[in-house]
């Protein structure tokens, strides 16, 4: 019943992330804080990706009851993990583009407020990471993808906190940018690993390499 456990956990994380997202967007709009708004929107991309992971467990649960389905439920979880990996890659590239843009067009940062948001984001992500923590030996690509999204978000929150505090204390605004770029590179590395792992399951590369050549795009 491991999948069922994972299904419940991912649903909790989706709800937790969605609530944080709504709060951040509302506060971002009312306080004119770009940092809050941006973080809220980033949260949205994770709600989508982790929502996808949850949906994959629901589908597996439904199809495993069906007599017609004789495929591998592992494939469904890997497909979800693969799509999630793509989300993660796009997320990292967007942060990088934003950071570079910020580097050339420095914005006035409302430090205390931005730090507060980043701290809230970090706490939500830590709670989510505990919920999604799993034994790597028994994990599927789907739960791994959901877990990576949460960790990636925690990493960006953490780099934002460090960057903002350094920028505030030493008045060096571009530390924030450097922190964001470093986070992006780490997230890109994770997402590529996830795409490779889940992609090889989808293409049956482990079982028959020659069979998979026909499917490669």
């Amino acid at each position: 019943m491991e999948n069922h456990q994972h299904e419940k956990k991912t649903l909790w994380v989706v709800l937790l992330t969605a609530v944080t997202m709504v709060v951040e967007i509302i506060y971002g709009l009312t306080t004119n804080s770009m940092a809050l708004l941006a973080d809220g929107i980033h949260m949205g991309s994770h709600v989508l990706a982790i929502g996808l992971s949850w949906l994959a467990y629901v589908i597996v649960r439904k199809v495993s009851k069906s007599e017609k389905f004789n495929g591998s439920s592992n494939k469904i979880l890997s497909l979800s993990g693969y799509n999630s990996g793509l989300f993660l890659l796009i997320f990292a590239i967007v942060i990088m583009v934003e950071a570079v843009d910020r580097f050339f067009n420095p914005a006035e940062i409302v430090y205390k407020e931005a730090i507060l948001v980043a701290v809230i984001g970090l706490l939500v992500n830590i709670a989510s990471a505990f919920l999604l923590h799993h034994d790597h030996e028994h994990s599927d690509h789907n739960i791994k993808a959901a877990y990576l999204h949460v960790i990636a978000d925690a990493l960006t929150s953490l780099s934002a906190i460090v960057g903002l505090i350094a920028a505030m204390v030493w008045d060096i605004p571009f530390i924030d940018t450097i922190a964001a770029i470093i986070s992006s590179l780490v997230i890109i590395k994770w997402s590529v690993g996830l795409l490779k792992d889940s992609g090889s399951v989808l293409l049956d590369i482990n079982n028959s390499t020659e069979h998979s050549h026909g499917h490669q795009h």
Side-chain angles (χ1 to χ4, degrees):
M1 288 319 290
E2 195 177 359
N3 278 352
H4 188 58
Q5 282 300 105
H6 286 176
E7 184 189 319
K8 279 201 319 214
K9 285 176 175 178
T10 42
L11 181 60
W12 271 110
V13 172
V14 171
L15 296 173
L16 193 60
T17 314
V19 170
T20 315
M21 173 190 84
V22 172
V23 171
E24 287 192 354
I25 290 175
I26 291 170
Y27 265 88
L29 292 170
T30 52
T31 58
N32 273 340
S33 162
M34 273 309 293
L36 263 166
L37 203 55
D39 203 52
I41 292 164
H42 282 157
M43 278 274 186
S45 69
H46 291 300
V47 172
L48 271 174
I50 299 165
L52 182 77
S53 295
W54 171 70
L55 198 65
Y57 287 120
V58 175
I59 292 168
V60 166
R61 183 163 49 89
K62 293 268 194 287
V63 295
S64 56
K65 287 183 185 147
S66 141
E67 275 80 60
K68 291 184 192 133
F69 179 75
N70 53 12
S72 138
S73 60
N74 216 5
K75 277 272 169 71
I76 297 172
L77 298 179
S78 291
L79 180 63
S80 168
Y82 187 84
N83 287 328
S84 217
L86 284 177
F87 266 124
L88 204 56
L89 192 57
I90 293 162
F91 170 74
I93 292 166
V94 168
I95 293 177
M96 206 174 252
V97 171
E98 276 178 16
V100 173
D101 179 59
R102 180 65 59 86
F103 192 74
F104 292 109
N105 309 299
E108 196 55 51
I109 307 171
V110 190
Y111 288 115
K112 292 198 171 61
E113 187 185 287
I115 290 169
L116 177 69
V117 185
V119 169
I120 294 168
L122 183 62
L123 294 176
V124 170
N125 291 319
I126 289 171
S128 302
F130 273 110
L131 268 170
L132 288 176
H133 189 68
H134 52 279
D135 298 330
H136 284 290
E137 290 74 53
H138 310 299
S139 75
D140 54 63
H141 294 302
N142 195 35
I143 193 90
K144 203 174 276 180
Y147 187 64
L148 278 183
H149 271 272
V150 167
I151 297 291
D153 221 12
L155 185 71
T156 48
S157 295
L158 191 63
S159 78
I161 295 166
V162 172
L164 286 164
I165 291 174
M168 184 170 72
V169 174
W170 292 302
D171 198 26
I172 318 174
F174 63 84
I175 286 189
D176 192 23
T177 309
I178 295 165
I181 290 173
I182 292 169
S183 306
S184 302
L185 291 172
V186 174
I187 298 167
I188 287 170
K189 184 174 180 291
W190 289 342
S191 58
V192 169
L194 185 63
L195 289 171
K196 275 185 187 161
D197 291 350
S198 52
S200 64
V201 173
L202 293 174
L203 294 172
D204 290 321
I205 284 171
N206 305 347
N207 319 345
S208 54
T209 323
E210 64 281 357
H211 172 70
S212 72
H213 282 307
H215 294 295
Q216 281 176 353
H217 296 301

